Amino acid sequence: MTTMQFDFPSLRLVPQLRSLWRQAFGDGDVFLDAFFSLCFSPKRSRCILRNGEVVSALYWFDFTCRDQKMAYLYAVATREDCRHQGLCRALLADTRDVLEAQGYSAALLCPENEGLARMYAGQGYLPVCKIAEVTRVAGERPVSLRRVSPEEYASSRRRFLPAGGAQPEECFWRLLAREAELFVGEDFLLAARRQDDTLLAVELLGNSEAASGILAALSCRDGTFRMPGNTRDFAMFLPLIPGTQAPAYFGLALD
């Protein structure tokens, strides 16, 4: 007889959660070690157990926006041999009930592709938080910037965050710092990854005109910069309390 259970995953299930994450997203042990040591909390995770084995799971970070607590859902995954059985939809519905009971005002997520966006739309999620992604080449005059700790980046970000923007909890920054370098300039804030002489800026807040000078300062030939804008929707939003507004900016995700 098959039994199915929705639950907060216990620590003993971490090996199964890691295996599912690796199967679904391809991340290696370095990232998984960082996530499960720095950020994992059974209280901010949900899973489906079938006969005691994890078959589907998701996690969330706490965000604040306009003094309201929101949940950023990520790493939503179902075991390969259990897909196309409605488990993801069931887990999302269960998580919605949990978040509502815990007083969250809204949930956000960033779909990986259009197929997933359609599935989330069927669960009531709406596209929100437009961003711009621009490509620039290095200029002749480098700007001044300095690398900072996750704590200083989070603190400085409040100064550059657009009105109505969402701010994540502390452990998000510690994980992001494993994947990106964090910088502060005179009139901008930057989180970016370098590959050879190309830069991928996962967030540029403040003076967007500094992009070419940033590339020069970091000895990069060219780069792509993600920033607040009107080019495309970045996230999807589900209000859990009637009248809750979507963030004006939510530009950071675990890519």
Side-chain angles (χ1 to χ4, degrees):
M1 179 179 177
T2 300
T3 61
M4 191 166 73
Q5 176 186 359
F6 295 86
D7 206 350
F8 297 100
S10 64
L11 293 177
R12 70 173 181 82
L13 293 174
V14 166
Q16 291 188 48
L17 296 172
R18 289 174 63 111
S19 177
L20 173 58
W21 188 312
R22 185 182 294 107
Q23 181 191 86
F25 306 111
D27 292 306
D29 286 334
V30 173
F31 177 84
L32 291 173
D33 288 347
F35 172 76
F36 281 98
S37 64
L38 296 173
C39 300
F40 172 69
S41 168
K43 295 179 180 179
R44 289 185 285 101
S45 314
R46 289 294 280 177
C47 69
I48 298 177
L49 300 171
R50 182 176 285 174
N51 293 336
E53 294 186 354
V54 175
V55 294
S56 191
L58 60 74
Y59 312 82
W60 66 87
F61 283 108
D62 288 349
F63 270 66
T64 56
C65 181
R66 304 185 185 93
D67 296 323
Q68 293 181 302
K69 184 172 69 169
M70 300 183 180
Y72 161 44
L73 308 185
Y74 63 99
V76 184
T78 298
R79 208 171 69 186
E80 194 170 24
D81 61 333
C82 298
R83 293 173 187 169
H84 311 296
Q85 299 176 22
L87 295 180
C88 182
R89 291 179 175 84
L91 184 59
L92 286 168
D94 165 80
T95 302
R96 174 177 181 163
D97 291 342
V98 168
L99 295 175
E100 285 181 336
Q102 292 185 0
Y104 285 83
S105 63
L108 295 123
L109 45 75
C110 297
E112 187 177 5
N113 54 53
E114 291 185 4
L116 287 174
R118 289 192 294 270
M119 188 270 288
Y120 294 133
Q123 297 285 303
Y125 285 81
L126 303 171
V128 294
C129 302
K130 290 188 180 294
I131 62 163
E133 289 184 337
V134 300
T135 300
R136 294 287 184 267
V137 297
E140 294 183 359
R141 302 179 63 180
V143 297
S144 175
L145 50 73
R146 61 186 177 88
R147 192 167 178 177
V148 295
S149 68
E151 293 77 17
E152 186 173 352
Y153 188 91
S155 176
S156 299
R157 191 174 187 264
R158 294 184 176 90
R159 178 163 59 98
F160 293 100
L161 192 65
Q167 178 82 346
E169 63 179 315
E170 182 179 334
C171 73
F172 180 93
W173 302 115
R174 294 198 298 267
L175 186 63
L176 182 66
R178 298 294 185 98
E179 300 293 300
E181 297 174 278
L182 308 177
F183 300 94
V184 169
E186 181 179 356
D187 56 0
F188 65 86
L189 195 70
L190 174 74
R193 294 193 289 266
R194 284 184 269 190
Q195 184 173 3
D196 299 326
D197 59 355
T198 296
L199 189 77
L200 171 59
V202 296
E203 177 173 75
L204 175 61
L205 294 180
N207 179 17
S208 60
E209 298 301 317
S212 293
I214 289 170
L215 292 169
L218 297 178
S219 300
C220 291
R221 179 191 62 206
D222 54 41
T224 299
F225 294 80
R226 181 188 296 163
M227 61 188 74
N230 294 296
T231 304
R232 69 175 180 88
D233 296 310
F234 181 72
M236 299 188 77
F237 172 79
L238 178 70
L240 301 175
I241 296 175
T244 300
Q245 291 180 273
Y249 171 73
F250 178 82
L252 278 172
L254 295 180
D255 294 323

